[in-house]
Amino acid sequence: VDNIIDLGRLNKRFKDLYLSGGVYLGGTGSVNKLNDYEQGTWNVTDGSGAGLSFTVSNNKYTKVGRLVVASAQVLFPTTSSSAYAQLNVPFTSVASASEHGGVVIEQNYDTSNVLTAAMNSNTAVWFRVNGGAALTNANLSGKKLRFTVTYHAA
């Protein structure tokens, strides 16, 4: 019979479920298949090409299917590098510019400017002040950023 039998009940639940493949939610098409879930820490690295090393904490990610949520607290080193500040994300984003993703930031950049950011490439987050020009590594020299990025992995 199709779509008749429930698995478990409110007070008669299964404890663990181990699958060798994925699970289909809401249909049997490939878009309905959830076949990946993971969480862990990620290595926040310099995407600007300046070879910077960061002091990093709270660098965690969760990936459910293609959806990635990654967060970190990053202290930029003292630098005069004029390269645009870019931090690599844990998984490559989809290639389409309209799907690169967005970023929500709580920051300690300074007390007078609002810092925003976006994924302007499929591998890194770029930072801006008040939606203006992208910031350089020198602009963030010695600054601490706390941020969360949400995007679709390739």
Side-chain angles (χ1 to χ4, degrees):
V1 286
D2 182 32
N3 201 24
I4 300 293
I5 300 170
D6 291 332
L7 187 59
R9 298 206 181 273
L10 180 63
N11 60 352
K12 303 225 187 294
R13 299 171 296 162
F14 290 87
K15 183 178 177 301
D16 293 314
L17 179 63
Y18 299 92
L19 302 171
S20 62
V23 61
Y24 290 88
L25 302 171
T28 58
S30 61
V31 296
N32 299 91
K33 186 176 183 182
L34 176 61
N35 59 358
D36 183 31
Y37 174 87
E38 63 180 281
Q39 56 186 4
T41 59
W42 56 295
N43 187 19
V44 179
T45 58
D46 180 21
S48 73
L52 302 178
S53 295
F54 306 101
T55 302
V56 179
S57 60
N58 301 316
N59 49 326
K60 300 185 184 314
Y61 73 86
T62 301
K63 183 172 181 276
V64 180
R66 291 180 41 225
L67 183 66
V68 179
V69 178
S71 60
Q73 179 173 292
V74 177
L75 175 62
F76 272 73
T78 301
T79 180
S80 59
S81 166
S82 61
Y84 289 127
Q86 300 176 50
L87 298 176
N88 289 325
V89 293
F91 300 94
T92 300
S93 171
V94 294
S96 168
S98 64
E99 290 187 77
H100 279 321
V103 177
V104 177
I105 294 184
E106 172 191 344
Q107 46 77 28
N108 289 343
Y109 172 66
D110 67 28
T111 58
S112 61
N113 288 302
V114 175
L115 193 66
T116 60
M119 289 189 60
N120 286 356
S121 72
N122 63 342
T123 59
V125 176
W126 296 45
F127 300 94
R128 301 175 182 279
V129 173
N130 295 325
L135 294 170
T136 66
N137 290 321
N139 296 136
L140 295 174
S141 178
K143 304 291 185 180
K144 184 186 294 183
L145 304 179
R146 291 186 304 259
F147 66 94
T148 300
V149 57
T150 303
Y151 65 98
H152 288 121

